[in-house]
Every structure is written in C-alpha cells, then in structure tokens.
Amino acid sequence: IISLTHRALRTARELEIAKRIQTSILPQRLSVDGMQISAAMVPAEEVGGDYYDVVPTQGGAWIGVGDVAGHGLKAGLIMLMVQSVVAALTRQRARMNPKEAIEILNRVLFDNIRERLGSDEHVTFTLMRYESDGNIVFAGAHEEILVWRARDKKCEVIPTPGTWMGAVANVSRAIVDSTLKLERGDLMVLYTDGLIEAQTAEGKQFGLDRVIEMVEANGNESPELLVQKIVQACIAWAPVQDDDITVLALRYQGV
C-alpha cells in the first residue's frame, strides 16, 4: 500500500511538472504586425504535449503548432525540445525556409527521442513563415489549416503535407514548402487533434466539420471571441477531456 501511495504521489508530481512546462513556455504576448491573434490551450488531466508559438520577426513572424504523441512528463519534455530548437532557428535565421527548419528539428528530435531516451514518441508539427504582405510559407505535417475568406465568408481547408517528426532520421524527401496567401480580413485557424477528436459519452467526435461551421458562423467576430466559443463548445461536447485542446485564430489586417 505504501509503495502504491508513493507511486501515485510521484506520478502526480510528474504530471504537475509536465503541466508547468507545457503552460509556462507558451508565448505570453501575441503581437505581430498586421495580425490580430488569440490562442488558448487547455491541458487534459493526463498531460500531453500540445505546443504553439508565435515569434515576431522584422516584417512578419514565425508561427508553429504541434502535438507530441504520448502523455506525461516525457511528452512535456519533448515539447520543450521542439520549442527550444524552433526558437533558436527562427531567431538566428529569420529568412530560412520552413522545410529546412523542419529537417533540422527532426534530426534533433530523432537523436533525442530514439537514441538518447530510447523512446518511440513522435511529433506532428507545422511551421509557418508569415510575411506582413499576407504571404505564408509552411512545412510539416499537422492538422489541416482553416482559412476563412472574408470575400465569401467560407472556409478553405488546406492540407499540411509531410510526415511525423522524430520517427525517422531523415525526412527531407517527405517535407515540402507550401504557400498560402491571406487577404485583408481573412481569418486563419490552427488547432490540435484534442479539439476535433473530443468525444461524447457515446463516442461521437466533435469533428472538423463542426469547427468549420463555427468558424463560418463567427468569422466576423474577434479572434479572441471565436477561440472562446470553439473551446467552450468542445468542452461542453466531451464529458471527459482525454487530450489537450489547442486553438489559434489569426486575423490578417493588412499593412
């Protein structure tokens, strides 16, 4: 009994540390020229590894969103690795292509996860280089990007081609740079699978279609209000939160 109690206490401490890691390194300010941005991340009880970051640069920003497969302290530590590598790369080489950054990140993650930790976690991750003229270059496989177009009040669903990070040593053949263009008033929504895979007690998922409906119905709202509505709807949908929920909404205002 004593051993089980100690084990439970140790597990609880590890989860608390992981939560602290996960929430403390998220950006405290979301200020980018030409953008209005809001974000929310709601950790699950069993801590996963959701991650997002916004790194302003001269004339733009780097924007990242991802998720570590796995839970607990290890997932939190891997997420910290992602944040550290991306922060270093984007600050030192603000004009590099996202594909190149993803390839470097993968090599670091593969070495740390597979070789040093002897583990099998992987990371879904998309990295974007945003320019103040509305042009975005992105690379890396994560959830599909939603872009609500102000001109017709409809969402475009943009795939994120690529592969997982940290699963194999070299991903150069699987990673490509893709582009999209935001016009004045357009709204881009990023999220993790904890949002769309949230389930009712009967096992029905919240789903991407429901998110699209909400974005199209609230496209003219502020990013902050839109994020609040989506997160609240998801939490109400699922009686038990099995995974972290992350949502970012970014309104392009032009320059």
Side-chain angles (χ1 to χ4, degrees), residues 86-102:
V86 171
L89 286 172
T90 55
R91 282 170 171 80
Q92 183 180 15
R93 301 175 61 187
R95 297 297 306 168
M96 74 186 307
N97 289 331
K99 178 183 187 300
E100 185 180 359
I102 290 287

Side-chain angles (χ1 to χ4, degrees), residues 150-208:
R151 64 175 180 268
D152 58 12
K153 317 300 183 188
K154 296 293 184 181
C155 277
E156 291 181 13
V157 181
I158 300 172
T160 57
T163 189
W164 297 339
M165 301 292 98
V168 297
N170 190 328
V171 296
S172 59
R173 292 185 178 180
I175 301 297
V176 297
D177 280 321
S178 301
T179 62
L180 66 89
K181 170 75 171 177
L182 298 178
E183 304 294 341
R184 188 183 301 271
D186 287 352
L187 184 72
M188 182 168 66
V189 178
L190 310 175
Y191 53 92
T192 57
D193 62 2
L195 173 68
I196 59 176
E197 295 178 2
Q199 296 185 359
T200 63
E202 295 74 31
K204 184 177 181 181
Q205 291 190 344
F206 193 71
L208 182 59

Side-chain angles (χ1 to χ4, degrees), residues 65-143:
V65 61
D67 185 10
V68 179
H71 299 278
L73 182 57
K74 191 180 292 182
L77 290 174
I78 293 170
M79 187 270 296
L80 180 59
M81 295 176 200
V82 174
Q83 192 276 338
S84 299
V85 173
V86 171
L89 286 172
T90 55
R91 282 170 171 80
Q92 183 180 15
R93 301 175 61 187
R95 297 297 306 168
M96 74 186 307
N97 289 331
K99 178 183 187 300
E100 185 180 359
I102 290 287
E103 291 172 358
I104 295 170
L105 171 63
N106 178 75
R107 288 200 295 270
V108 174
L109 291 178
F110 180 84
D111 181 49
N112 285 352
I113 295 172
R114 305 283 164 162
E115 304 294 337
R116 301 189 183 199
L117 292 176
S119 190
D120 61 357
E121 278 85 355
H122 65 268
V123 182
T124 65
F125 181 68
T126 292
L127 182 63
M128 302 179 163
R129 194 187 72 211
Y130 154 78
E131 306 290 344
S132 58
D133 62 3
N135 284 303
I136 293 177
V137 183
F138 64 94
H142 186 60
E143 305 300 330

Side-chain angles (χ1 to χ4, degrees), residues 11-28 41-44 47-53 68 71-84 117 244 246:
T11 299
R13 283 197 296 268
E14 286 186 354
L15 290 175
E16 182 58 36
I17 292 170
K19 281 187 178 181
R20 200 175 308 133
I21 291 172
Q22 190 175 24
T23 56
S24 63
I25 67 167
L26 295 176
Q28 301 301 307
M41 197 271 285
V42 184
V47 178
D50 274 14
Y51 155 85
Y52 71 86
D53 208 352
V68 179
H71 299 278
L73 182 57
K74 191 180 292 182
L77 290 174
I78 293 170
M79 187 270 296
L80 180 59
M81 295 176 200
V82 174
Q83 192 276 338
S84 299
L117 292 176
D244 304 334
T246 297

